[in-house]
Amino acid sequence: MRVLTVLERLQAKGTATTEELVNRLEVSERTLQRYIARLQDLGVPVASTRGRGAAYTPERGFRMQPLMFNSEEALAIALGLKALRQLGVAHLQGMLTGVESKLERVLPLDIWNQMRAIENTLEIDVQDWKPVVDGAVIGKLAAAIDLQREVDIKYVDHQGATSERAIQPYGLSRVAGSWYLVAFCTMRQGVRLFRVDRMLSISTKGSTFKKPSAIDIRAYVESELNNVPAKWRAEIWLAASPETLRYDLVPSRS
């Protein structure tokens, strides 16, 4: 995001000094140099002067091209935005509105109208109830997983008992409307499943760990959920003979 801020500043002023950009972005000169290098990698022609009063200047007349999508890409974006609204992440609704506002400003009118048509007419079948999670927590956990950093959490289990855990997060998965974290729990000395909405606090530590390469996050979550003891026992009476049910309930072997 700050890379784009650099570009916007350069395009607005034409030329900006290193001191001005460093102060505005509150970064070091080395970080600013990385931002400029990233712009150049993206094909943005930025010239620089060195020494006292060093400055950066974009090529005269250069402007970033507007976002261009074809009909299929617009469909993908619209489906993605529609699905994101169903993830049960707090404050995501407002952010998605902001994304749509930015797309409306830069997309051609016909493509924008196609996206809006999909958004307004498509219905996605979702559960009526789903626990809401904090988007910041999802972000922290994802970063810890990516960097393989240990995490301290305060957690409430299904019985209402609160505990503090030191964990090594392996992966996130959303199953049946809930967000789950697969992690190694140092207190239990084993891999455990945690529901993200039951985390009262989370703090990333400086220590690192090595994530197992063979673990299948989705498969582990589904396996653990299938092994949860049933809270209710149900008996079902079917008004049909055993001969009839034998053909309806037994899978075909043909």
Side-chain angles (χ1 to χ4, degrees), residues 86-214:
Q86 314 299 332
L87 291 183
V89 178
H91 311 305
L92 191 59
Q93 184 76 26
M95 288 185 283
L96 291 177
T97 301
V99 171
E100 290 179 337
S101 296
K102 292 178 181 179
L103 289 172
E104 183 179 11
R105 290 196 297 267
V106 298
L107 287 176
L109 182 60
D110 59 334
I111 298 297
W112 171 251
N113 287 336
Q114 290 182 41
M115 287 185 57
R116 294 302 298 165
I118 295 170
E119 175 74 13
N120 293 333
T121 60
L122 177 66
E123 292 294 335
I124 299 179
D125 183 22
V126 295
Q127 294 181 338
D128 293 334
W129 176 89
K130 53 179 177 290
V132 176
V133 300
D134 189 337
V137 172
I138 294 293
K140 284 184 178 181
L141 291 174
I145 294 167
D146 184 56
L147 298 174
Q148 300 186 65
R149 299 274 294 275
E150 294 186 342
V151 171
D152 287 332
I153 64 171
K154 189 173 183 180
Y155 189 73
V156 179
D157 65 18
H158 66 285
Q159 295 179 334
T162 301
S163 61
E164 295 183 355
R165 312 283 190 100
I167 62 174
Q168 299 173 356
Y170 291 165
L172 286 163
S173 183
R174 185 175 182 271
V175 179
S178 295
W179 285 89
Y180 294 94
L181 173 72
V182 178
F184 180 87
C185 177
T186 58
M187 183 174 75
R188 301 297 187 188
Q189 284 297 298
V191 179
R192 293 292 186 270
L193 187 64
F194 299 92
R195 246 179 54 179
V196 177
D197 61 293
R198 290 179 177 158
M199 295 181 182
L200 302 180
S201 66
I202 172 174
S203 175
T204 304
K205 303 168 66 174
S207 52
T208 60
F209 65 93
K210 182 66 174 178
K211 177 184 175 181
S213 58

Side-chain angles (χ1 to χ4, degrees), residues 2-11 13 15-29 31-33 35-36 39 46-47 54-58:
R2 290 194 173 187
V3 173
L4 296 180
T5 302
V6 173
L7 178 59
E8 291 174 355
R9 189 65 178 173
L10 291 176
Q11 289 188 333
K13 293 198 63 177
T15 298
T17 65
T18 298
E19 181 180 5
E20 176 186 355
L21 292 173
V22 164
N23 292 335
R24 182 176 182 83
L25 298 174
E26 298 181 345
V27 298
S28 65
E29 290 190 19
T31 299
L32 175 61
Q33 290 171 0
Y35 291 162
I36 297 297
L39 286 174
V46 179
Y56 296 96
T57 306

Side-chain angles (χ1 to χ4, degrees), residues 158 180 193 195 198 220-232:
H158 66 285
Y180 294 94
L193 187 64
R195 246 179 54 179
R198 290 179 177 158
Y220 181 87
V221 173
E222 292 178 346
S223 174
E224 288 297 297
L225 293 179
N226 288 335
N227 292 328
V228 174
K231 185 176 181 180
W232 307 102

